[in-house]
Amino acid sequence: MKYASFKLAGIALSLTLAFSAQAADTLRIAADAVPHAEILAFVQKLDPNLKLKVIELSNGVNANELLANGDVDANYFQHVPYLRDQEKALGKKFTVAATVHIEPLGIYSHKYKDLKSVPENATIALPNNVTNLSRALYLLQDKGLITLKPEFKDAAQNQATPRDIASNPKKLKIIEIEAPQLPRSLDDVDLAVINGNYALEAGLTPSKDALGLESATHNPYANILVTNPNLANDPRIKELAKDLQSPQVADFIRKQFNGSVIPVATPQS
C-alpha cells in the first residue's frame, strides 16, 4: 500500500511538473483585438510550435503596467513615442523586440465627404493622450487644416499641443477625447481623428473611409512588440519577433487589411 501511495504521489508530482513546464513554455502577450490579436492568430498558425496566450485588451487596461508587474511576458499594441512616455510615467524601462506594422491615423466624418466641405467653426475630436494628440495635429497640418509653429517640423522629435497651432483658418474647435471613444463621437462632432485600430474595430476602413490618412513614409509610429529587458534574449521572444517581421506576416497584413494596416517588412514576391 505504501508503495502504491508513493507511486501515485510520484505520478501526481510528474503531472504537476509537466503542466508547469508546459505553462512556462507559453508566451503571454497583451494585445489589442484588432489588428494585433488577429496578426498573432496568424502567427500561431504559421508557427504552431510557438505557444501563445493572447490576452485581448479592454478599455482602461494598461498593458505596460501588466508587463511591468510580470502579468504578461510581452505586449503588442503601441508605438515607440507612446512607449517612451509610458516609461517615464511608470519609472520602468522596456525593450522593443520587433517593429511590425503601421496603423495610419485618419480623419473621419459622418457629416462631410471631403475636407474641402468642412465649414468654419467645425468641431474636431482628437485623441487625448500626449503622443497621439501630437500625431493628430501633425496630420491636420499635413492636410492643410492648421499650421503649427515653425519649430514643429518633425513629429518624431517635437510633440505638439493645441497651444502650438500658429494658424487655424477654419477656426476648428478642438476637443480631446479618450482614443477608444473617438469612433462613437462621430455623430456628435464634425470630424474626428481616429487611431487605425479603433477605426477598424468600429467597422471603418481607413484606406477607404478616411477623409485624410497619415502617410506611411518615414512614419515614426510603427507598432512594436515590447518585452521586459530580462526577457529580451528569451528564445520564445526572439522566435515571435522573427515571425512578426517575416514576409509571410507582411503578406497576411496586406491582404487582410487592404491598406488600412501597413507592414514594415517587405512582402514576399
Side-chain angles (χ1 to χ4, degrees):
M1 290 294 292
K2 284 185 178 180
Y3 175 75
S5 297
F6 282 129
K7 188 175 181 180
L8 288 171
I11 292 171
L13 178 60
S14 297
L15 289 172
T16 300
L17 291 173
F19 180 79
S20 299
Q22 185 178 16
D25 287 342
T26 301
L27 199 60
R28 303 163 301 163
I29 307 169
D32 279 332
V34 182
H36 308 80
E38 293 183 20
I39 295 169
L40 290 169
F42 176 78
V43 167
Q44 189 67 93
K45 293 178 182 177
L46 180 70
D47 187 356
N49 292 325
L50 181 62
K51 300 180 180 69
L52 302 179
K53 181 180 180 181
V54 179
I55 296 96
E56 291 189 11
L57 297 171
S58 56
N59 292 348
V61 175
N62 186 329
N64 288 315
E65 286 185 355
L66 294 178
L67 184 57
N69 295 334
D71 296 318
V72 296
D73 304 305
N75 65 45
Y76 173 36
F77 77 101
Q78 64 190 319
H79 49 64
V80 170
Y82 182 81
L83 175 66
R84 298 307 177 214
D85 273 350
Q86 284 282 289
E87 287 178 326
K88 292 175 185 176
L90 297 173
K92 298 282 186 179
K93 292 295 289 185
F94 299 106
T95 297
V96 176
T99 302
V100 187
H101 73 266
I102 295 164
E103 298 167 19
L105 205 66
I107 307 171
Y108 300 85
S109 178
H110 280 174
K111 299 178 182 178
Y112 304 101
K113 293 184 177 180
D114 55 61
L115 294 177
K116 292 180 181 178
S117 303
V118 177
E120 286 191 2
N121 299 307
T123 302
I124 182 166
L126 307 184
N128 70 349
N129 66 73
V130 175
T131 53
N132 285 314
L133 174 60
S134 175
R135 185 180 175 186
L137 292 169
Y138 277 97
L139 174 61
L140 296 183
Q141 175 172 253
D142 183 57
K143 300 306 175 184
L145 292 172
I146 65 168
T147 303
L148 295 170
K149 294 175 182 176
E151 60 266 32
F152 292 90
K153 296 178 181 178
D154 187 347
Q157 299 296 324
N158 304 110
Q159 286 193 338
T161 72
R163 294 190 299 273
D164 301 310
I165 295 173
S167 67
N168 182 0
K170 288 182 179 286
K171 300 179 178 63
L172 297 176
K173 297 176 181 178
I174 294 172
I175 60 172
E176 298 175 28
I177 296 176
E178 288 190 11
Q181 307 304 321
L182 285 163
R184 298 179 189 175
S185 75
L186 283 171
D187 289 331
D188 302 313
V189 299
D190 296 296
L191 300 168
V193 177
I194 304 175
N195 295 74
N197 58 315
Y198 297 128
L200 289 168
E201 288 177 12
L204 296 166
T205 302
S207 59
K208 181 180 69 176
D209 296 326
L211 305 187
L213 202 60
E214 193 176 45
S215 171
T217 305
H218 305 302
N219 191 310
Y221 300 107
N223 279 219
I224 51 179
L225 176 69
V226 177
T227 190
N228 281 312
N230 65 313
L231 289 175
N233 292 315
D234 187 301
R236 301 168 301 164
I237 294 288
K238 286 185 169 294
E239 185 173 354
L240 176 57
K242 182 179 178 182
D243 289 339
L244 284 171
Q245 296 177 122
S246 69
Q248 294 94 328
V249 168
D251 281 341
F252 169 77
I253 291 172
R254 290 179 186 277
K255 292 172 184 175
Q256 180 74 8
F257 302 107
N258 195 29
S260 297
V261 180
I262 302 168
V264 172
T266 303
Q268 287 181 309
S269 58

PDB file of all heavy atoms in Angstrom, residues 4-42:
ATOM      1  N   ALA A   4       2.266   1.711  -3.354  1.00  0.00           N
ATOM      2  CA  ALA A   4       1.240   2.250  -4.263  1.00  0.00           C
ATOM      3  C   ALA A   4       0.997   3.729  -4.020  1.00  0.00           C
ATOM      4  O   ALA A   4       0.848   4.515  -4.946  1.00  0.00           O
ATOM      5  CB  ALA A   4      -0.063   1.470  -4.087  1.00  0.00           C
ATOM      6  N   SER A   5       1.006   4.134  -2.743  1.00  0.00           N
ATOM      7  CA  SER A   5       0.794   5.548  -2.395  1.00  0.00           C
ATOM      8  C   SER A   5       1.922   6.405  -2.928  1.00  0.00           C
ATOM      9  O   SER A   5       1.713   7.484  -3.488  1.00  0.00           O
ATOM     10  CB  SER A   5       0.681   5.705  -0.876  1.00  0.00           C
ATOM     11  OG  SER A   5      -0.445   5.008  -0.392  1.00  0.00           O
ATOM     12  N   PHE A   6       3.182   5.899  -2.727  1.00  0.00           N
ATOM     13  CA  PHE A   6       4.329   6.649  -3.232  1.00  0.00           C
ATOM     14  C   PHE A   6       4.282   6.753  -4.756  1.00  0.00           C
ATOM     15  O   PHE A   6       4.612   7.788  -5.347  1.00  0.00           O
ATOM     16  CB  PHE A   6       5.638   5.969  -2.808  1.00  0.00           C
ATOM     17  CG  PHE A   6       6.013   6.247  -1.370  1.00  0.00           C
ATOM     18  CD1 PHE A   6       6.336   5.199  -0.514  1.00  0.00           C
ATOM     19  CD2 PHE A   6       6.045   7.544  -0.883  1.00  0.00           C
ATOM     20  CE1 PHE A   6       6.686   5.455   0.799  1.00  0.00           C
ATOM     21  CE2 PHE A   6       6.397   7.803   0.437  1.00  0.00           C
ATOM     22  CZ  PHE A   6       6.710   6.743   1.277  1.00  0.00           C
ATOM     23  N   LYS A   7       3.848   5.645  -5.397  1.00  0.00           N
ATOM     24  CA  LYS A   7       3.778   5.628  -6.858  1.00  0.00           C
ATOM     25  C   LYS A   7       2.756   6.647  -7.364  1.00  0.00           C
ATOM     26  O   LYS A   7       3.004   7.405  -8.304  1.00  0.00           O
ATOM     27  CB  LYS A   7       3.409   4.229  -7.336  1.00  0.00           C
ATOM     28  CG  LYS A   7       3.507   4.050  -8.851  1.00  0.00           C
ATOM     29  CD  LYS A   7       3.257   2.615  -9.229  1.00  0.00           C
ATOM     30  CE  LYS A   7       3.379   2.445 -10.743  1.00  0.00           C
ATOM     31  NZ  LYS A   7       3.128   1.034 -11.149  1.00  0.00           N
ATOM     32  N   LEU A   8       1.575   6.654  -6.697  1.00  0.00           N
ATOM     33  CA  LEU A   8       0.543   7.620  -7.083  1.00  0.00           C
ATOM     34  C   LEU A   8       0.998   9.053  -6.855  1.00  0.00           C
ATOM     35  O   LEU A   8       0.757   9.943  -7.665  1.00  0.00           O
ATOM     36  CB  LEU A   8      -0.744   7.347  -6.299  1.00  0.00           C
ATOM     37  CG  LEU A   8      -1.527   6.092  -6.712  1.00  0.00           C
ATOM     38  CD1 LEU A   8      -2.646   5.828  -5.720  1.00  0.00           C
ATOM     39  CD2 LEU A   8      -2.092   6.254  -8.114  1.00  0.00           C
ATOM     40  N   ALA A   9       1.674   9.274  -5.723  1.00  0.00           N
ATOM     41  CA  ALA A   9       2.195  10.613  -5.424  1.00  0.00           C
ATOM     42  C   ALA A   9       3.213  11.030  -6.472  1.00  0.00           C
ATOM     43  O   ALA A   9       3.261  12.185  -6.906  1.00  0.00           O
ATOM     44  CB  ALA A   9       2.815  10.631  -4.033  1.00  0.00           C
ATOM     45  N   GLY A  10       4.027  10.067  -6.892  1.00  0.00           N
ATOM     46  CA  GLY A  10       5.039  10.353  -7.911  1.00  0.00           C
ATOM     47  C   GLY A  10       4.410  10.717  -9.232  1.00  0.00           C
ATOM     48  O   GLY A  10       4.856  11.642  -9.920  1.00  0.00           O
ATOM     49  N   ILE A  11       3.352   9.992  -9.590  1.00  0.00           N
ATOM     50  CA  ILE A  11       2.647  10.294 -10.835  1.00  0.00           C
ATOM     51  C   ILE A  11       2.027  11.693 -10.773  1.00  0.00           C
ATOM     52  O   ILE A  11       2.115  12.482 -11.711  1.00  0.00           O
ATOM     53  CB  ILE A  11       1.554   9.237 -11.105  1.00  0.00           C
ATOM     54  CG1 ILE A  11       2.207   7.886 -11.431  1.00  0.00           C
ATOM     55  CG2 ILE A  11       0.643   9.669 -12.247  1.00  0.00           C
ATOM     56  CD1 ILE A  11       1.233   6.737 -11.491  1.00  0.00           C
ATOM     57  N   ALA A  12       1.398  11.999  -9.628  1.00  0.00           N
ATOM     58  CA  ALA A  12       0.777  13.319  -9.451  1.00  0.00           C
ATOM     59  C   ALA A  12       1.810  14.423  -9.564  1.00  0.00           C
ATOM     60  O   ALA A  12       1.581  15.458 -10.203  1.00  0.00           O
ATOM     61  CB  ALA A  12       0.066  13.382  -8.101  1.00  0.00           C
ATOM     62  N   LEU A  13       2.987  14.191  -8.929  1.00  0.00           N
ATOM     63  CA  LEU A  13       4.055  15.196  -8.982  1.00  0.00           C
ATOM     64  C   LEU A  13       4.551  15.371 -10.412  1.00  0.00           C
ATOM     65  O   LEU A  13       4.782  16.488 -10.880  1.00  0.00           O
ATOM     66  CB  LEU A  13       5.205  14.784  -8.063  1.00  0.00           C
ATOM     67  CG  LEU A  13       6.432  15.721  -8.046  1.00  0.00           C
ATOM     68  CD1 LEU A  13       6.011  17.119  -7.587  1.00  0.00           C
ATOM     69  CD2 LEU A  13       7.514  15.171  -7.147  1.00  0.00           C
ATOM     70  N   SER A  14       4.703  14.256 -11.130  1.00  0.00           N
ATOM     71  CA  SER A  14       5.175  14.315 -12.516  1.00  0.00           C
ATOM     72  C   SER A  14       4.196  15.093 -13.384  1.00  0.00           C
ATOM     73  O   SER A  14       4.601  15.909 -14.220  1.00  0.00           O
ATOM     74  CB  SER A  14       5.348  12.902 -13.077  1.00  0.00           C
ATOM     75  OG  SER A  14       6.342  12.203 -12.361  1.00  0.00           O
ATOM     76  N   LEU A  15       2.879  14.836 -13.179  1.00  0.00           N
ATOM     77  CA  LEU A  15       1.867  15.564 -13.952  1.00  0.00           C
ATOM     78  C   LEU A  15       1.894  17.051 -13.641  1.00  0.00           C
ATOM     79  O   LEU A  15       1.765  17.893 -14.527  1.00  0.00           O
ATOM     80  CB  LEU A  15       0.483  14.992 -13.658  1.00  0.00           C
ATOM     81  CG  LEU A  15       0.195  13.592 -14.227  1.00  0.00           C
ATOM     82  CD1 LEU A  15      -1.134  13.062 -13.697  1.00  0.00           C
ATOM     83  CD2 LEU A  15       0.179  13.620 -15.749  1.00  0.00           C
ATOM     84  N   THR A  16       2.074  17.376 -12.352  1.00  0.00           N
ATOM     85  CA  THR A  16       2.145  18.786 -11.935  1.00  0.00           C
ATOM     86  C   THR A  16       3.335  19.482 -12.575  1.00  0.00           C
ATOM     87  O   THR A  16       3.233  20.594 -13.098  1.00  0.00           O
ATOM     88  CB  THR A  16       2.245  18.886 -10.402  1.00  0.00           C
ATOM     89  OG1 THR A  16       1.097  18.283  -9.831  1.00  0.00           O
ATOM     90  CG2 THR A  16       2.318  20.348  -9.967  1.00  0.00           C
ATOM     91  N   LEU A  17       4.490  18.807 -12.551  1.00  0.00           N
ATOM     92  CA  LEU A  17       5.701  19.390 -13.133  1.00  0.00           C
ATOM     93  C   LEU A  17       5.560  19.531 -14.646  1.00  0.00           C
ATOM     94  O   LEU A  17       5.981  20.531 -15.233  1.00  0.00           O
ATOM     95  CB  LEU A  17       6.924  18.523 -12.792  1.00  0.00           C
ATOM     96  CG  LEU A  17       7.345  18.518 -11.327  1.00  0.00           C
ATOM     97  CD1 LEU A  17       8.458  17.500 -11.091  1.00  0.00           C
ATOM     98  CD2 LEU A  17       7.813  19.909 -10.899  1.00  0.00           C
ATOM     99  N   ALA A  18       4.942  18.520 -15.272  1.00  0.00           N
ATOM    100  CA  ALA A  18       4.743  18.587 -16.723  1.00  0.00           C
ATOM    101  C   ALA A  18       3.826  19.742 -17.087  1.00  0.00           C
ATOM    102  O   ALA A  18       4.070  20.476 -18.038  1.00  0.00           O
ATOM    103  CB  ALA A  18       4.166  17.265 -17.226  1.00  0.00           C
ATOM    104  N   PHE A  19       2.744  19.920 -16.306  1.00  0.00           N
ATOM    105  CA  PHE A  19       1.811  21.029 -16.541  1.00  0.00           C
ATOM    106  C   PHE A  19       2.505  22.371 -16.348  1.00  0.00           C
ATOM    107  O   PHE A  19       2.342  23.293 -17.133  1.00  0.00           O
ATOM    108  CB  PHE A  19       0.620  20.915 -15.591  1.00  0.00           C
ATOM    109  CG  PHE A  19      -0.381  22.023 -15.764  1.00  0.00           C
ATOM    110  CD1 PHE A  19      -1.299  21.999 -16.804  1.00  0.00           C
ATOM    111  CD2 PHE A  19      -0.390  23.112 -14.893  1.00  0.00           C
ATOM    112  CE1 PHE A  19      -2.220  23.024 -16.964  1.00  0.00           C
ATOM    113  CE2 PHE A  19      -1.298  24.134 -15.056  1.00  0.00           C
ATOM    114  CZ  PHE A  19      -2.220  24.086 -16.092  1.00  0.00           C
ATOM    115  N   SER A  20       3.331  22.456 -15.284  1.00  0.00           N
ATOM    116  CA  SER A  20       4.058  23.700 -15.003  1.00  0.00           C
ATOM    117  C   SER A  20       5.028  24.022 -16.128  1.00  0.00           C
ATOM    118  O   SER A  20       5.169  25.174 -16.546  1.00  0.00           O
ATOM    119  CB  SER A  20       4.807  23.588 -13.676  1.00  0.00           C
ATOM    120  OG  SER A  20       3.907  23.381 -12.617  1.00  0.00           O
ATOM    121  N   ALA A  21       5.717  22.976 -16.630  1.00  0.00           N
ATOM    122  CA  ALA A  21       6.675  23.193 -17.716  1.00  0.00           C
ATOM    123  C   ALA A  21       5.957  23.652 -18.976  1.00  0.00           C
ATOM    124  O   ALA A  21       6.417  24.549 -19.676  1.00  0.00           O
ATOM    125  CB  ALA A  21       7.442  21.894 -17.990  1.00  0.00           C
ATOM    126  N   GLN A  22       4.782  23.028 -19.246  1.00  0.00           N
ATOM    127  CA  GLN A  22       4.003  23.434 -20.413  1.00  0.00           C
ATOM    128  C   GLN A  22       3.539  24.875 -20.285  1.00  0.00           C
ATOM    129  O   GLN A  22       3.599  25.654 -21.237  1.00  0.00           O
ATOM    130  CB  GLN A  22       2.799  22.503 -20.566  1.00  0.00           C
ATOM    131  CG  GLN A  22       1.992  22.774 -21.841  1.00  0.00           C
ATOM    132  CD  GLN A  22       0.844  21.812 -21.979  1.00  0.00           C
ATOM    133  OE1 GLN A  22       0.460  21.150 -21.031  1.00  0.00           O
ATOM    134  NE2 GLN A  22       0.285  21.730 -23.172  1.00  0.00           N
ATOM    135  N   ALA A  23       3.075  25.253 -19.083  1.00  0.00           N
ATOM    136  CA  ALA A  23       2.627  26.626 -18.846  1.00  0.00           C
ATOM    137  C   ALA A  23       3.783  27.600 -19.002  1.00  0.00           C
ATOM    138  O   ALA A  23       3.625  28.697 -19.528  1.00  0.00           O
ATOM    139  CB  ALA A  23       2.013  26.736 -17.457  1.00  0.00           C
ATOM    140  N   ALA A  24       4.975  27.175 -18.515  1.00  0.00           N
ATOM    141  CA  ALA A  24       6.145  28.048 -18.599  1.00  0.00           C
ATOM    142  C   ALA A  24       6.568  28.278 -20.045  1.00  0.00           C
ATOM    143  O   ALA A  24       7.134  29.315 -20.381  1.00  0.00           O
ATOM    144  CB  ALA A  24       7.299  27.449 -17.806  1.00  0.00           C
ATOM    145  N   ASP A  25       6.290  27.301 -20.928  1.00  0.00           N
ATOM    146  CA  ASP A  25       6.646  27.441 -22.337  1.00  0.00           C
ATOM    147  C   ASP A  25       5.742  28.421 -23.062  1.00  0.00           C
ATOM    148  O   ASP A  25       6.074  28.910 -24.137  1.00  0.00           O
ATOM    149  CB  ASP A  25       6.567  26.077 -23.034  1.00  0.00           C
ATOM    150  CG  ASP A  25       7.713  25.159 -22.641  1.00  0.00           C
ATOM    151  OD1 ASP A  25       8.721  25.681 -22.120  1.00  0.00           O
ATOM    152  OD2 ASP A  25       7.588  23.938 -22.838  1.00  0.00           O
ATOM    153  N   THR A  26       4.566  28.673 -22.515  1.00  0.00           N
ATOM    154  CA  THR A  26       3.583  29.530 -23.168  1.00  0.00           C
ATOM    155  C   THR A  26       3.936  30.996 -22.975  1.00  0.00           C
ATOM    156  O   THR A  26       4.208  31.442 -21.867  1.00  0.00           O
ATOM    157  CB  THR A  26       2.177  29.253 -22.604  1.00  0.00           C
ATOM    158  OG1 THR A  26       1.852  27.880 -22.825  1.00  0.00           O
ATOM    159  CG2 THR A  26       1.138  30.126 -23.279  1.00  0.00           C
ATOM    160  N   LEU A  27       3.934  31.727 -24.076  1.00  0.00           N
ATOM    161  CA  LEU A  27       4.255  33.154 -24.045  1.00  0.00           C
ATOM    162  C   LEU A  27       2.959  33.945 -23.920  1.00  0.00           C
ATOM    163  O   LEU A  27       2.064  33.840 -24.759  1.00  0.00           O
ATOM    164  CB  LEU A  27       4.989  33.533 -25.328  1.00  0.00           C
ATOM    165  CG  LEU A  27       5.795  34.826 -25.353  1.00  0.00           C
ATOM    166  CD1 LEU A  27       6.904  34.798 -24.306  1.00  0.00           C
ATOM    167  CD2 LEU A  27       6.396  35.041 -26.739  1.00  0.00           C
ATOM    168  N   ARG A  28       2.846  34.739 -22.847  1.00  0.00           N
ATOM    169  CA  ARG A  28       1.642  35.525 -22.590  1.00  0.00           C
ATOM    170  C   ARG A  28       1.805  36.921 -23.179  1.00  0.00           C
ATOM    171  O   ARG A  28       2.734  37.634 -22.810  1.00  0.00           O
ATOM    172  CB  ARG A  28       1.383  35.623 -21.085  1.00  0.00           C
ATOM    173  CG  ARG A  28       1.254  34.270 -20.373  1.00  0.00           C
ATOM    174  CD  ARG A  28       1.407  34.447 -18.866  1.00  0.00           C
ATOM    175  NE  ARG A  28       2.707  35.042 -18.541  1.00  0.00           N
ATOM    176  CZ  ARG A  28       2.997  35.606 -17.363  1.00  0.00           C
ATOM    177  NH1 ARG A  28       2.083  35.679 -16.413  1.00  0.00           N
ATOM    178  NH2 ARG A  28       4.200  36.108 -17.153  1.00  0.00           N
ATOM    179  N   ILE A  29       0.889  37.293 -24.065  1.00  0.00           N
ATOM    180  CA  ILE A  29       1.010  38.575 -24.771  1.00  0.00           C
ATOM    181  C   ILE A  29      -0.287  39.364 -24.661  1.00  0.00           C
ATOM    182  O   ILE A  29      -1.359  38.871 -25.005  1.00  0.00           O
ATOM    183  CB  ILE A  29       1.324  38.365 -26.261  1.00  0.00           C
ATOM    184  CG1 ILE A  29       2.542  37.451 -26.425  1.00  0.00           C
ATOM    185  CG2 ILE A  29       1.588  39.696 -26.950  1.00  0.00           C
ATOM    186  CD1 ILE A  29       2.741  37.010 -27.831  1.00  0.00           C
ATOM    187  N   ALA A  30      -0.186  40.597 -24.183  1.00  0.00           N
ATOM    188  CA  ALA A  30      -1.332  41.513 -24.160  1.00  0.00           C
ATOM    189  C   ALA A  30      -1.382  42.246 -25.499  1.00  0.00           C
ATOM    190  O   ALA A  30      -0.364  42.774 -25.969  1.00  0.00           O
ATOM    191  CB  ALA A  30      -1.187  42.507 -23.008  1.00  0.00           C
ATOM    192  N   ALA A  31      -2.566  42.260 -26.126  1.00  0.00           N
ATOM    193  CA  ALA A  31      -2.677  42.856 -27.459  1.00  0.00           C
ATOM    194  C   ALA A  31      -4.072  43.412 -27.674  1.00  0.00           C
ATOM    195  O   ALA A  31      -5.049  42.911 -27.120  1.00  0.00           O
ATOM    196  CB  ALA A  31      -2.375  41.804 -28.535  1.00  0.00           C
ATOM    197  N   ASP A  32      -4.151  44.462 -28.498  1.00  0.00           N
ATOM    198  CA  ASP A  32      -5.462  44.946 -28.935  1.00  0.00           C
ATOM    199  C   ASP A  32      -6.105  43.885 -29.832  1.00  0.00           C
ATOM    200  O   ASP A  32      -5.408  43.161 -30.554  1.00  0.00           O
ATOM    201  CB  ASP A  32      -5.325  46.252 -29.714  1.00  0.00           C
ATOM    202  CG  ASP A  32      -5.180  47.462 -28.800  1.00  0.00           C
ATOM    203  OD1 ASP A  32      -5.686  47.406 -27.662  1.00  0.00           O
ATOM    204  OD2 ASP A  32      -4.570  48.459 -29.227  1.00  0.00           O
ATOM    205  N   ALA A  33      -7.439  43.823 -29.794  1.00  0.00           N
ATOM    206  CA  ALA A  33      -8.154  42.798 -30.566  1.00  0.00           C
ATOM    207  C   ALA A  33      -7.894  42.931 -32.064  1.00  0.00           C
ATOM    208  O   ALA A  33      -7.673  41.937 -32.762  1.00  0.00           O
ATOM    209  CB  ALA A  33      -9.649  42.885 -30.270  1.00  0.00           C
ATOM    210  N   VAL A  34      -7.923  44.175 -32.563  1.00  0.00           N
ATOM    211  CA  VAL A  34      -7.728  44.447 -33.986  1.00  0.00           C
ATOM    212  C   VAL A  34      -6.691  45.549 -34.143  1.00  0.00           C
ATOM    213  O   VAL A  34      -6.790  46.589 -33.484  1.00  0.00           O
ATOM    214  CB  VAL A  34      -9.049  44.909 -34.655  1.00  0.00           C
ATOM    215  CG1 VAL A  34      -8.850  45.148 -36.136  1.00  0.00           C
ATOM    216  CG2 VAL A  34     -10.165  43.889 -34.418  1.00  0.00           C
ATOM    217  N   PRO A  35      -5.674  45.329 -34.972  1.00  0.00           N
ATOM    218  CA  PRO A  35      -5.386  44.119 -35.753  1.00  0.00           C
ATOM    219  C   PRO A  35      -4.433  43.151 -35.050  1.00  0.00           C
ATOM    220  O   PRO A  35      -4.138  42.087 -35.570  1.00  0.00           O
ATOM    221  CB  PRO A  35      -4.715  44.697 -36.998  1.00  0.00           C
ATOM    222  CG  PRO A  35      -3.912  45.848 -36.455  1.00  0.00           C
ATOM    223  CD  PRO A  35      -4.770  46.440 -35.342  1.00  0.00           C
ATOM    224  N   HIS A  36      -3.938  43.555 -33.872  1.00  0.00           N
ATOM    225  CA  HIS A  36      -2.826  42.849 -33.238  1.00  0.00           C
ATOM    226  C   HIS A  36      -3.139  41.387 -32.930  1.00  0.00           C
ATOM    227  O   HIS A  36      -2.343  40.494 -33.262  1.00  0.00           O
ATOM    228  CB  HIS A  36      -2.411  43.596 -31.970  1.00  0.00           C
ATOM    229  CG  HIS A  36      -2.146  45.049 -32.200  1.00  0.00           C
ATOM    230  ND1 HIS A  36      -3.174  45.975 -32.296  1.00  0.00           N
ATOM    231  CD2 HIS A  36      -0.995  45.738 -32.371  1.00  0.00           C
ATOM    232  CE1 HIS A  36      -2.654  47.176 -32.514  1.00  0.00           C
ATOM    233  NE2 HIS A  36      -1.338  47.059 -32.572  1.00  0.00           N
ATOM    234  N   ALA A  37      -4.271  41.133 -32.270  1.00  0.00           N
ATOM    235  CA  ALA A  37      -4.617  39.746 -31.934  1.00  0.00           C
ATOM    236  C   ALA A  37      -4.853  38.913 -33.196  1.00  0.00           C
ATOM    237  O   ALA A  37      -4.536  37.719 -33.225  1.00  0.00           O
ATOM    238  CB  ALA A  37      -5.842  39.711 -31.021  1.00  0.00           C
ATOM    239  N   GLU A  38      -5.389  39.535 -34.233  1.00  0.00           N
ATOM    240  CA  GLU A  38      -5.598  38.828 -35.499  1.00  0.00           C
ATOM    241  C   GLU A  38      -4.259  38.443 -36.125  1.00  0.00           C
ATOM    242  O   GLU A  38      -4.106  37.345 -36.675  1.00  0.00           O
ATOM    243  CB  GLU A  38      -6.403  39.696 -36.461  1.00  0.00           C
ATOM    244  CG  GLU A  38      -7.838  39.933 -36.016  1.00  0.00           C
ATOM    245  CD  GLU A  38      -8.636  40.729 -37.023  1.00  0.00           C
ATOM    246  OE1 GLU A  38      -8.226  40.779 -38.204  1.00  0.00           O
ATOM    247  OE2 GLU A  38      -9.671  41.300 -36.645  1.00  0.00           O
ATOM    248  N   ILE A  39      -3.302  39.336 -36.046  1.00  0.00           N
ATOM    249  CA  ILE A  39      -1.970  39.044 -36.583  1.00  0.00           C
ATOM    250  C   ILE A  39      -1.306  37.931 -35.771  1.00  0.00           C
ATOM    251  O   ILE A  39      -0.684  37.017 -36.334  1.00  0.00           O
ATOM    252  CB  ILE A  39      -1.101  40.325 -36.594  1.00  0.00           C
ATOM    253  CG1 ILE A  39      -1.689  41.352 -37.575  1.00  0.00           C
ATOM    254  CG2 ILE A  39       0.349  40.001 -36.966  1.00  0.00           C
ATOM    255  CD1 ILE A  39      -1.083  42.734 -37.482  1.00  0.00           C
ATOM    256  N   LEU A  40      -1.469  37.976 -34.458  1.00  0.00           N
ATOM    257  CA  LEU A  40      -0.898  36.931 -33.601  1.00  0.00           C
ATOM    258  C   LEU A  40      -1.560  35.577 -33.861  1.00  0.00           C
ATOM    259  O   LEU A  40      -0.905  34.535 -33.796  1.00  0.00           O
ATOM    260  CB  LEU A  40      -1.031  37.320 -32.132  1.00  0.00           C
ATOM    261  CG  LEU A  40      -0.140  38.484 -31.679  1.00  0.00           C
ATOM    262  CD1 LEU A  40      -0.543  38.951 -30.285  1.00  0.00           C
ATOM    263  CD2 LEU A  40       1.338  38.090 -31.706  1.00  0.00           C
ATOM    264  N   ALA A  41      -2.851  35.573 -34.172  1.00  0.00           N
ATOM    265  CA  ALA A  41      -3.540  34.322 -34.506  1.00  0.00           C
ATOM    266  C   ALA A  41      -2.952  33.723 -35.782  1.00  0.00           C
ATOM    267  O   ALA A  41      -2.785  32.496 -35.892  1.00  0.00           O
ATOM    268  CB  ALA A  41      -5.037  34.569 -34.667  1.00  0.00           C
ATOM    269  N   PHE A  42      -2.608  34.579 -36.727  1.00  0.00           N
ATOM    270  CA  PHE A  42      -1.964  34.084 -37.954  1.00  0.00           C
ATOM    271  C   PHE A  42      -0.577  33.537 -37.642  1.00  0.00           C
ATOM    272  O   PHE A  42      -0.185  32.489 -38.181  1.00  0.00           O
ATOM    273  CB  PHE A  42      -1.871  35.200 -38.999  1.00  0.00           C
ATOM    274  CG  PHE A  42      -1.132  34.777 -40.245  1.00  0.00           C
ATOM    275  CD1 PHE A  42      -1.757  33.988 -41.195  1.00  0.00           C
ATOM    276  CD2 PHE A  42       0.189  35.151 -40.442  1.00  0.00           C
ATOM    277  CE1 PHE A  42      -1.075  33.575 -42.333  1.00  0.00           C
ATOM    278  CE2 PHE A  42       0.883  34.748 -41.581  1.00  0.00           C
ATOM    279  CZ  PHE A  42       0.250  33.960 -42.533  1.00  0.00           C
TER     280      PHE A  42
END
